[in-house]
């Protein structure tokens, strides 16, 4: 059940960002299926909103993959012009590359982990929401498909993915990010690790 407020946190700018994000990612789907990619963007924005994030953070959550997957530097300038410097900064800091073709996987991921030391807490909140939704998706799909899940990725060794998420967790904790999502990410990654290493199948988070 909802209540009403005379001072909503989300304005017409958020509505504009919803349309912009769908247009930018209109033809994109999640890896290994036909689920529209915008579903991931909506999930990340929902996590940010439900953790008390600002409108700028919620908009950045919707747009966090636009630079990396839908236009590079020119898209970043569109975002800056339409949604402001703070949103553009968060989106840029949440992107692991704006290069085409993308640099090698390990190089990109290590660089992303390292650069989290230099970003603000507003970016960290959007980042952990993104990684939590991705990790949840991996866990759900592992319960359905088992080890065949990894065939959909360019990097097919599950231990590489576990390394990445465990390194991200360490970075969020080191920077003392005050969000329930850090603990949730730890639980999801822990369950995924148990499954990969041959542990009992557990209840999907």
């Amino acid at each position: 059940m909802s209540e009403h407020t005379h001072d909503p946190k989300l304005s017409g700018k958020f509505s504009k960002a919803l349309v912009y994000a769908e247009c930018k990612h209109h033809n994109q789907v999640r890896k290994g299926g036909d689920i529209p990619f915008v579903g991931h963007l909506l999930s990340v924005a929902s996590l940010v909103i439900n953790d008390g994030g600002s409108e700028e953070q919620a908009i950045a959550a919707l747009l966090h993959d636009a630079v990396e997957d839908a236009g590079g530097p020119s898209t970043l300038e569109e975002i800056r012009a339409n949604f402001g410097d703070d949103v553009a900064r968060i989106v840029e800091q949440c992107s692991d590359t704006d290069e085409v073709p993308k640099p090698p996987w390990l190089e990109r991921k290590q660089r992303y982990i390292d650069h989290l030391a230099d970003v603000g807490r507003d970016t960290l909140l959007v980042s952990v929401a993104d990684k939590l939704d991705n990790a949840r998706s991996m866990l759900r799909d592992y319960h359905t498909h088992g080890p065949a899940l990894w065939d959909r990725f360019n990097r097919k060794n599950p231990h590489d993915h576990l390394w990445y998420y465990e390194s991200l967790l360490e970075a969020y904790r080191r920077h003392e990010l005050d969000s329930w999502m850090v603990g949730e990410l730890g639980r999801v990654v822990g369950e995924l690790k148990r499954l990969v290493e041959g542990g009992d199948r557990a209840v999907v988070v």
Side-chain angles (χ1 to χ4, degrees), residues 81-151:
N82 284 280
F83 305 104
D85 290 339
D86 284 341
V87 170
R89 172 180 53 78
I90 296 171
V91 170
E92 183 176 24
Q93 292 175 343
C94 284
S95 305
D96 68 18
T97 187
D98 62 3
E99 301 175 41
V100 179
K102 294 181 178 182
W105 186 91
L106 183 60
E107 174 188 332
R108 284 188 291 118
K109 300 309 181 186
Q110 186 63 64
R111 188 167 58 190
Y112 184 87
I113 293 163
D114 292 342
H115 107 115
L116 289 178
D118 302 317
V119 306
R121 291 189 175 276
D122 51 359
T123 295
L124 289 174
L125 187 72
V126 177
S127 175
V128 73
D130 172 33
K131 304 315 177 190
L132 175 57
D133 188 64
N134 283 336
R136 282 175 165 176
S137 178
M138 279 186 180
L139 181 58
R140 286 193 304 269
D141 288 350
Y142 194 97
H143 276 277
T144 301
H145 303 291
L149 162 69
W150 310 110
D151 292 338

Side-chain angles (χ1 to χ4, degrees), residues 28-40 133-134 137 140:
Q28 296 175 8
V29 294
R30 297 304 301 268
K31 287 181 183 294
D34 60 356
I35 297 174
F37 189 77
V38 72
H40 166 62
D133 188 64
N134 283 336
S137 178
R140 286 193 304 269

